[in-house]
Amino acid sequence: MSHRAPPIALTIAGSDSSGGAGIQADLKTFSALGVYGASVITALTAQNTRGVTAIHDVPDAFIAAQMDAVFSDLAVKAVKIGMLSRPGAIETVAAGLDRHQAHPVVLDPVMVAASGAKLLTDDAVSTLIARLLPRAEIITPNLPEAAALLGTAPAADEEEMRAHAERLMACGAKAVLMKGGHGSGAQSVDLLVTPQAVTSFAAPRHPTRNTHGTGCTLSSAIAARLALGDDLVSAVGAAKAYITGAIAAADALDVGSGHGPVHHFFALWPA
């Protein structure tokens, strides 16, 4: 029997005690897409489908120790970065990426939870832009996140989405996936903007409130596909298809009484 070990992807993010977002969503996504997942936890959150009730930050030295432990032993093929709530954590992760020459990096600039809880301090925004945007192969902001990074109003149409992406690239990002889930219309349109081209990815909107972890899941799906060897456009396309299926099947899980999680294993646990 032939055997091929799966590629390894690393998530650097916060923990979600309800299992729908953060580290837990990332590891589920890696597994669903055939990638072995490792993790570096940057914060512990007490949360459920109704909201975040407490955040406990992991000390910077321990974040660095986790990164050193993983990279010194595991052949990491891609990195996904999620919740980094403080400047110190951002600086620590940036230094660790440089120390271990980690790439490609998918950066999801997590700023607000689906419940509305703020996950990034105001003084950390400039540090995130300066230290991590230039180190990422791609960043994946939704419309409010892109607006917050730029200090402007959210994009109202695809022309403004492209303009915001280009401004983020001017800040150092190599490529930007502007996620259109917060937009309007029958289709949810994401724009991948690179120096070479603009590629549109559209999918039907599904009327559900169970969207907890969508951003984490999409960015980790991109990292998984990059670890598997996809080019960037193919990785984003495959990730868009995956998150669309996970959202469409979310109601079948019936988890919690608030914003429930998407169904990461919809292909294995059909409704």
Side-chain angles (χ1 to χ4, degrees):
M1 179 182 295
S2 62
H3 173 74
R4 182 181 70 85
I8 299 170
L10 169 66
T11 169
I12 303 174
S15 169
D16 172 4
S17 54
S18 72
I23 288 283
Q24 288 83 353
D26 297 340
L27 293 177
K28 289 174 185 178
T29 301
F30 292 162
S31 294
L33 296 179
V35 171
Y36 181 90
S39 64
V40 168
I41 298 177
T42 61
L44 306 176
T45 69
Q47 67 174 295
N48 53 32
T49 63
R50 297 191 299 271
V52 179
T53 57
I55 297 175
H56 179 74
D57 292 313
V58 173
D60 297 339
F62 196 75
I63 294 174
Q66 291 177 82
M67 292 184 73
D68 290 344
V70 171
F71 281 111
S72 67
D73 186 42
L74 277 62
V76 176
K77 296 297 184 183
V79 178
K80 174 266 170 82
I81 299 175
M83 178 185 174
L84 298 172
S85 62
R86 301 170 294 104
I90 295 169
E91 293 282 4
T92 298
V93 169
L97 295 176
D98 290 348
R99 189 164 59 251
H100 297 287
Q101 300 181 328
H103 66 86
V105 173
V106 179
L107 172 62
D108 184 24
V110 179
M111 304 180 80
V112 179
S115 62
K118 195 169 185 178
L119 301 177
L120 182 70
T121 61
D122 292 337
D123 60 344
V125 175
S126 60
T127 307
L128 184 76
I129 292 172
R131 298 290 283 146
L132 287 182
L133 259 65
R135 288 168 171 78
E137 180 76 13
I138 181 173
I139 67 171
T140 62
N142 59 34
L143 302 186
E145 288 166 345
L149 290 172
L150 296 170
T152 189
D157 54 36
E158 290 185 34
E159 182 178 352
E160 290 187 359
M161 289 170 66
R162 177 173 180 172
H164 284 192
E166 290 172 345
R167 287 180 59 189
L168 289 169
M169 290 170 64
C171 293
K174 298 180 182 70
V176 180
L177 180 67
M178 291 288 295
K179 300 180 296 192
H182 286 76
S184 58
Q187 298 270 306
S188 174
V189 179
D190 300 346
L191 289 186
L192 173 62
V193 182
T194 71
Q196 294 77 32
V198 177
T199 308
S200 175
F201 299 89
R205 292 186 186 276
H206 293 280
T208 178
R209 68 176 182 174
N210 295 320
T211 57
H212 185 52
T214 51
C216 304
T217 299
L218 178 60
S219 57
S220 56
I222 294 171
R225 294 304 312 184
L226 290 173
L228 288 163
D230 285 5
D231 61 61
L232 187 59
V233 175
S234 298
V236 171
K240 176 72 170 180
Y242 172 72
I243 188 60
T244 299
I247 293 171
D251 290 356
L253 285 181
D254 193 25
V255 172
S257 58
H259 294 281
V262 301
H263 193 341
H264 295 93
F265 298 109
F266 64 90
L268 298 176
W269 311 344

